[in-house]
């Protein structure tokens, strides 16, 4: 498995630890990336990171991942609830994508309880905090072996 | 953590490997239980198993778990989409519950894309196959330490 | 009126005082039963108690009540919002049923604001705490005299 | 408890006994008021009565009750299903309000099965006939003691 | 038929000829009343007129009409779309009511295309301009003979 | 006004007096036509009659009426609730159309309470029995003079 | 029982065996008619057949059946989902009608899962293939005896 | 065909003849079972009967039928409208299931007009009274031969 | 600009400072009126004040304002969400109306997020506290100059 | 490609140039047919024309086209929004159908924005005026070669 | 017509031939552009191409086209179903825009059957494969001449 | 208050004066900025301006404003109705945001009457033209002092 896993974070995740910490926790995105890298090393895989507040940028990165990555861990942020274009980008690449949400979106406002993107993903982890990323990584590594 | 983790499976999961294997896989529930037990031993925890097709039985077990267990992994099967009583049972116990679905319910028929139970759980794992149970176990052990 | 009044409690009401006490109060189901028995004696009637987390059990008891009871006080718990079968059981017996909810279901989550069972009951008392059972008893005794 | 209980009846309740007696019974509003007064005397409280077909009048009386009354029994009539202003009036006063409906609104036309006012009340009694007022009075007296 | 016909106009009809004349025409309410009186004389009946912007006033008048009138012609104005209390008042009196709308409410904004009041009326005339009142009068006279 | 008025009746109106007489009355369509002819003579206009159970036939007749008639009285029967094509036919001709329903469709089953055709008509008369046709005729004659 | 049973087929059923045979089977309508005739002879009744793609024609035949037939077996085809006029035709005749669908409409596209016509029929058979017609015939013969 | 046909009845069907006889008829479940047994003998098949008010029991029996039965006739009672778990149980077994309703559910209250279970069944018979069971038996025998 | 600006407050605004102060603030309506008068003087205009809990009274005042006022600042309170009649009154007068809400109705309960009245107003200010009235005044003065 | 292309026009298209010319243009159907014939000659194909206001006639013609035509250009008029039977007819023939609308139905009233027929067609052209027919012809010729 | 036609493609269209080829075909976007250029030369017009996965970029290009282009052919991809901003951009420029979809969006998932953008476009071509672009070009050239 | 106020304009607002001037007026964005700057100077605060058609750019600017600005005036344009990500960005910063719309969105097409963003803002001004920005500035300055 020479290819890496892409960790792709959508809008507002750059504000992790600053944004509503009672919901999203006090860990920064950099600290999370470090934890993911550590776990990736244990599993013998490499990871790439990308965060963007731009839907188009996220789509571009998903397209690029079709060649460069073996799988994707995607936290679409608020775009989960509104973006058919992001869903189509996930569907347009032949590698597995796991959708991750830090908070349990199914226990929040009605408009957050439905993700348009989920239907094109292999699976979803929601509400397990930032550990969700690590568990998704474990799953992808198991799957790709 | 002397208490165990309860693995609670709802209606039709006794038919794992027999029921629509293209969706749910060819592993039996017994084989899955064995895999979970192995992982639990690695993690230093004990697990209890229960499967029932009776909503009332599942509620009884959740109530009992309030005293006997440190956390619950719950696959509510089709009750996920219809049972307020099961949701209330989850909400009535002070230990964390993780909801697990083998298939990705968000990519299936419309009536399966909403789980009433999720809003009372700590988090949800959907579509990662039977590995979802193992990842939920990892999360609970991390959480409870 | 030689027949008794059946006090029938549905899912999760066995956890009264343990379950979300800020909503349901700190009285146990046993303490409530004692209060109801005292009031029944004052009114000169006998009461029977049944609590079950099983929809089927509740239906069986309603059927049996057609012969053994003069009226029913039913707290269907979460089944209120989902069970056509329970509604049909109420409609299938010729004795009056009063639906009681301890909390005011009309001031809670949207999915709790509609009871399918109500349409087959004689009346509904919601939000008057456990006193709702006593008032329902008063009503049944008045009605049956 | 020197303050009284306000019995507040909304539109069309002045036509009790004249209006669809198969639904609302043959008792007049005056006869009902007499029964309530008798019961109030037994309980050692005083009651005030008001009936109006004007939403604004009902709101004015609720506001006045904030100072003059210890609790309210409110039958909003058809305004139950349409009046946010009446709900806001109930929410704007610091004394408990019990909503009463003579018929079981949950067993009638779809547009009658939802009360906007209920969410601001302490509780609801529906379908117990005019006895509902007496039971609400019992509850308020118990509560206020 | 010694009793009269009540012509009852709801909110904003006092502004006839001033209010959106491209929709409601340039005739004033007084001019309309004169035309109705003339027609009533031809038919040998008497008519009473009432216009009010107060829902409660309209309900009071409907109640009074139960004794004083043989039938009602009701233009509920905007209350048609929102007032269950007005519908109940119509249903509470034993004389026939015809609902009249000057404009064709079924060809206007979506929220105007449904009248809650219609279900309690004998019939509806909509969109025939102010002549609708005269036709309703013809119908009531035919009916009552 | 040398042109005539077209009286156009849709599906099932040929069964008038045979079909659910408690709703539609015991008058036959022929008897009704005779009454309309009599009234037309009094008003000095001629009338043409057409009844068909075929939507296409009704549309053909509406088109023909654009040249031969000065106005239309249309009872679309059950097509009122479903036919955009009939609505379009009404909208495609430059003469006024009045929609008539014998029963009060707004007091019947939910699916009968909305007419798609109404939005293209000048006005609607519903629930005034077969007299509705005569009143519509009066209106058209007044309008066309 | 000298009268016959009318077998009435709606739009597109003339294309049986040509139209989506994986759904509707490979039997032609003529072959089916022969099978029905054979069964009718066994049961000692006569049958009449009619297929039309015209809603109006189907309504005309239903009306005629009021006099000539003892019962109707109706496959309304796609009109099942849209035609209030056809429903009204069924309701306008005093003989029993059984609705038959060859495929199981409840397991197909959402817009096919509701039949407007069913509410006016005695009963429905759906998904039992062309045998559904024979079973409906059995039922009608039993019923009419 | 050495295997039998399972006749599975859901909640409240044990009260046949006692429950709303104007809807469900005056035949008891025992009498119906006898009629089915007689017909089965004629057809040369054996039948097994089960009635339960417990959703879980019905699911258990469906699972067992996968091995012991050649087909199922299922009247899910009120669970038809609410139970995804029962639908999943039907879908999880490889033998054909016919859903039967004694009354015509499509002509009753709105919440009864949709069956969640139908989508997993081979076909549906609704409204043909208790004869529906016999016709379903005929169909299964034809199908299995 | 000799005419004044009408400041019209609807139901429950007389209870400002008493009613849910965490939402509506601790300023009384009198204190607010004083602040508005001060600002009006600075701007060189006169203001009139009216508060009523009666929908009809508010409509009467709007009609009167057509002659006496140059513009209206309207806080319809809870009527915003339910009153077509009030909307029609606003639409029936030729002077500009600005709708003001003290709290941000778009961040509250679902039923408060839609104002029927807004569609007939020139503009809306919501959530800027009582300063909203002053800003609306500034706008009207700018507009009318 | 010896077979022709069928140009099939539904209800009200015979009134082209007479019907709402600001929406549908001033060209008559005959003039349009001439333009289509000219273009067909250039492309070396023959065309057949049919217009009917009868749904059944349109279905009959679609069935006939299965043998006589190589493709269909269908403007279903108002039936687009309501006719499942027409959709089924399109689905029942093995030749490609292109749906054409002269106006842009997606920019009109809400009930015109959804075509039930589209789901069974190969493609849709809407809003390109009568040129839409010519473009559809170009597409079919390209496709069939 | 010295100005060019802008061919504007939205998210994921850069993956044409790679993305779900059974739906979108095996032609690349470059090959399509070449075909369009060839056709444009035949028609004597010039074309410009732009593809972007960024909604903002598409809006910027539409704005620029107001000056540089005579018309636009827009395939909004998944943004069709979600972007009011894109619709507004189309509405903000005075040149005609034709919306093109390669697949027939009306025959796909429910969320794809509605395009928010269509209402601001001159017309729509859906399901005619990549030829849709060429036909749109033909239309624009005809229109602009 | 050394920090400035950010004036953030979303998609299509760069086309002010060019885009539908009957709705949005003839003032350019530059002219508006000048007016805002003038008012800011009077109030003694500084303002920064940003307009972008890119959702991501707007989110980036909101994040940056958390450090550089004391408050935000946001006109989200069409994103108001669709962007959860923008709402989340507003919610993720600790400074007050006022949403401004030039036109009265509540009097326009149904899809424009709901803003997803409003729920995270302090308040909303809609329909007061470009003066809305100035009034929002007044409010923020008052608030921040």
């Amino acid at each position: 498995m020479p290819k890496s896993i892409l960790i792709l974070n959508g809008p507002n995740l750059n504000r992790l630890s600053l944004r509503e910490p009672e919901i999203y926790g006090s860990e920064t995105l950099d600290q999370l990336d470090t934890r993911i890298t550590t776990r990736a090393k244990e599993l013998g895989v490499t990871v790439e990171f990308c965060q963007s507040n731009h839907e188009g940028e996220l789509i571009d990165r998903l397209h690029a991942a079709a060649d460069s990555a073996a799988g994707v861990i995607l936290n679409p942020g608020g775009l989960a609830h509104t973006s058919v274009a992001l869903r189509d980008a996930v569907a347009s690449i032949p590698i597995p994508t796991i959708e991750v949400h830090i908070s349990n979106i199914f226990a929040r406002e009605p408009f957050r309880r439905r993700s348009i993107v989920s239907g094109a993903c292999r699976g979803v982890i929601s509400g397990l905090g930032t550990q969700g990323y690590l568990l998704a990584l474990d799953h992808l590594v198991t799957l790709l072996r």
Side-chain angles (χ1 to χ4, degrees), chain A:
Chain A
M1 204 177 70
K3 289 179 175 178
S4 64
I5 304 288
L6 173 64
I7 315 295
L8 190 58
N9 279 297
N12 297 303
L13 284 152
N14 55 320
R15 287 194 57 83
L16 214 55
S17 83
L18 301 172
R19 171 195 181 199
E20 300 167 271
E22 71 287 0
I23 298 177
Y24 298 103
S26 60
E27 193 179 24
T28 66
L29 190 55
D30 276 355
Q31 290 166 340
L32 172 56
D33 288 354
T34 303
R35 271 216 291 154
I36 294 172
T37 303
T38 302
R39 181 74 183 131
K41 280 186 187 154
E42 289 169 23
L43 294 167
V45 295
T46 61
V47 284
E48 281 178 272
F49 297 98
C50 172
Q51 188 277 330
S52 175
N53 295 324
H54 298 246
E55 179 195 55
E57 180 73 16
L58 298 169
I59 294 171
D60 289 344
R61 283 305 296 261
L62 282 167
H63 291 176
D67 294 325
S68 68
V72 182
I73 295 171
L74 170 67
N75 183 337
L79 292 172
H81 316 298
T82 63
S83 178
V84 172
L86 194 60
R87 177 197 176 112
D88 285 351
V90 171
S92 81
I93 59 174
I95 58 176
T97 299
I98 310 297
E99 184 181 356
V100 170
H101 294 276
I102 295 171
S103 67
N104 185 2
I105 59 173
F106 308 111
R108 299 184 63 191
E109 305 99 310
F111 65 83
R112 273 189 223 281
R113 291 185 204 150
R114 186 188 59 112
S115 163
I116 291 178
V117 175
S118 300
C121 292
R122 180 178 176 82
V124 178
I125 296 175
S126 172
L128 304 190
T130 53
Q131 196 188 7
Y133 292 86
L134 302 176
L135 299 174
L137 188 60
D138 288 358
H139 178 70
L140 278 178
V141 170
T142 304
L143 181 73
L144 295 166
R145 267 172 192 156

Short mmCIF file of all heavy atoms in Angstrom, two decimals, chain A residues 91-108:
data_model
loop_
_atom_site.label_atom_id
_atom_site.label_comp_id
_atom_site.label_asym_id
_atom_site.label_seq_id
_atom_site.Cartn_x
_atom_site.Cartn_y
_atom_site.Cartn_z
N ALA A 91 -18.47 10.37 -5.11
CA ALA A 91 -18.94 9.27 -5.97
C ALA A 91 -18.09 9.12 -7.22
O ALA A 91 -18.08 8.06 -7.85
CB ALA A 91 -20.40 9.49 -6.35
N SER A 92 -17.38 10.19 -7.60
CA SER A 92 -16.64 10.16 -8.86
C SER A 92 -15.26 9.54 -8.73
O SER A 92 -14.55 9.42 -9.73
CB SER A 92 -16.51 11.59 -9.42
OG SER A 92 -15.45 12.29 -8.79
N ILE A 93 -14.85 9.19 -7.52
CA ILE A 93 -13.50 8.60 -7.35
C ILE A 93 -13.64 7.17 -6.86
O ILE A 93 -14.55 6.85 -6.09
CB ILE A 93 -12.63 9.44 -6.38
CG1 ILE A 93 -13.26 9.56 -5.00
CG2 ILE A 93 -12.34 10.81 -6.97
CD1 ILE A 93 -12.37 10.25 -3.97
N PRO A 94 -12.72 6.29 -7.33
CA PRO A 94 -12.91 4.86 -7.07
C PRO A 94 -12.30 4.38 -5.75
O PRO A 94 -12.15 3.18 -5.57
CB PRO A 94 -12.19 4.23 -8.27
CG PRO A 94 -11.11 5.19 -8.59
CD PRO A 94 -11.61 6.55 -8.25
N ILE A 95 -11.95 5.28 -4.86
CA ILE A 95 -11.35 4.85 -3.59
C ILE A 95 -12.34 5.07 -2.47
O ILE A 95 -13.20 5.94 -2.54
CB ILE A 95 -10.02 5.60 -3.32
CG1 ILE A 95 -10.27 7.11 -3.30
CG2 ILE A 95 -8.97 5.21 -4.35
CD1 ILE A 95 -9.04 7.93 -2.94
N PRO A 96 -12.25 4.28 -1.38
CA PRO A 96 -13.25 4.39 -0.32
C PRO A 96 -13.10 5.67 0.51
O PRO A 96 -11.99 6.08 0.84
CB PRO A 96 -12.98 3.16 0.56
CG PRO A 96 -11.58 2.78 0.27
CD PRO A 96 -11.29 3.18 -1.15
N THR A 97 -14.25 6.26 0.85
CA THR A 97 -14.29 7.46 1.70
C THR A 97 -15.10 7.17 2.96
O THR A 97 -16.19 6.60 2.88
CB THR A 97 -14.95 8.62 0.93
OG1 THR A 97 -14.17 8.90 -0.23
CG2 THR A 97 -15.05 9.88 1.78
N ILE A 98 -14.55 7.56 4.10
CA ILE A 98 -15.27 7.45 5.37
C ILE A 98 -15.61 8.87 5.83
O ILE A 98 -14.73 9.71 5.93
CB ILE A 98 -14.43 6.76 6.47
CG1 ILE A 98 -13.84 5.45 5.98
CG2 ILE A 98 -15.27 6.55 7.74
CD1 ILE A 98 -14.83 4.38 5.60
N GLU A 99 -16.88 9.10 6.12
CA GLU A 99 -17.30 10.42 6.62
C GLU A 99 -17.20 10.43 8.14
O GLU A 99 -17.67 9.50 8.81
CB GLU A 99 -18.75 10.66 6.17
CG GLU A 99 -19.29 12.04 6.54
CD GLU A 99 -20.74 12.22 6.09
OE1 GLU A 99 -21.28 11.29 5.43
OE2 GLU A 99 -21.33 13.25 6.41
N VAL A 100 -16.59 11.49 8.68
CA VAL A 100 -16.43 11.60 10.14
C VAL A 100 -17.01 12.93 10.62
O VAL A 100 -16.80 13.97 9.99
CB VAL A 100 -14.94 11.50 10.53
CG1 VAL A 100 -14.73 11.85 12.00
CG2 VAL A 100 -14.40 10.11 10.24
N HIS A 101 -17.78 12.86 11.69
CA HIS A 101 -18.23 14.07 12.39
C HIS A 101 -17.80 13.98 13.85
O HIS A 101 -18.01 12.94 14.49
CB HIS A 101 -19.75 14.24 12.30
CG HIS A 101 -20.24 14.49 10.93
ND1 HIS A 101 -20.26 15.74 10.37
CD2 HIS A 101 -20.68 13.64 9.96
CE1 HIS A 101 -20.72 15.66 9.12
NE2 HIS A 101 -20.97 14.40 8.85
N ILE A 102 -17.23 15.03 14.36
CA ILE A 102 -16.74 15.03 15.75
C ILE A 102 -17.92 14.94 16.73
O ILE A 102 -17.94 14.12 17.63
CB ILE A 102 -15.89 16.29 16.01
CG1 ILE A 102 -14.63 16.22 15.14
CG2 ILE A 102 -15.54 16.40 17.50
CD1 ILE A 102 -13.81 17.51 15.14
N SER A 103 -18.91 15.80 16.53
CA SER A 103 -20.10 15.75 17.38
C SER A 103 -21.09 14.75 16.79
O SER A 103 -20.95 14.34 15.64
CB SER A 103 -20.74 17.13 17.45
OG SER A 103 -21.28 17.50 16.18
N ASN A 104 -22.08 14.37 17.58
CA ASN A 104 -23.13 13.46 17.09
C ASN A 104 -24.19 14.29 16.38
O ASN A 104 -25.09 14.84 17.02
CB ASN A 104 -23.74 12.67 18.26
CG ASN A 104 -24.73 11.64 17.77
OD1 ASN A 104 -24.94 11.48 16.57
ND2 ASN A 104 -25.35 10.92 18.70
N ILE A 105 -24.09 14.38 15.07
CA ILE A 105 -24.99 15.27 14.33
C ILE A 105 -26.45 14.85 14.47
O ILE A 105 -27.34 15.66 14.27
CB ILE A 105 -24.61 15.35 12.83
CG1 ILE A 105 -24.65 13.98 12.15
CG2 ILE A 105 -23.25 15.99 12.64
CD1 ILE A 105 -24.46 14.05 10.62
N PHE A 106 -26.67 13.60 14.83
CA PHE A 106 -28.05 13.10 14.94
C PHE A 106 -28.72 13.54 16.23
O PHE A 106 -29.91 13.30 16.44
CB PHE A 106 -28.06 11.59 14.80
CG PHE A 106 -27.33 11.13 13.58
CD1 PHE A 106 -26.12 10.46 13.65
CD2 PHE A 106 -27.83 11.45 12.32
CE1 PHE A 106 -25.44 10.08 12.51
CE2 PHE A 106 -27.16 11.07 11.17
CZ PHE A 106 -25.96 10.39 11.27
N ALA A 107 -27.96 14.17 17.13
CA ALA A 107 -28.53 14.67 18.38
C ALA A 107 -28.55 16.19 18.40
O ALA A 107 -28.67 16.80 19.46
CB ALA A 107 -27.73 14.13 19.57
N ARG A 108 -28.44 16.81 17.22
CA ARG A 108 -28.39 18.29 17.18
C ARG A 108 -29.60 18.89 16.45
O ARG A 108 -30.64 18.27 16.38
CB ARG A 108 -27.06 18.71 16.55
CG ARG A 108 -25.85 18.20 17.40
CD ARG A 108 -24.53 18.67 16.87
NE ARG A 108 -24.43 20.14 16.93
CZ ARG A 108 -23.47 20.83 16.34
NH1 ARG A 108 -22.54 20.19 15.64
NH2 ARG A 108 -23.44 22.15 16.42
#
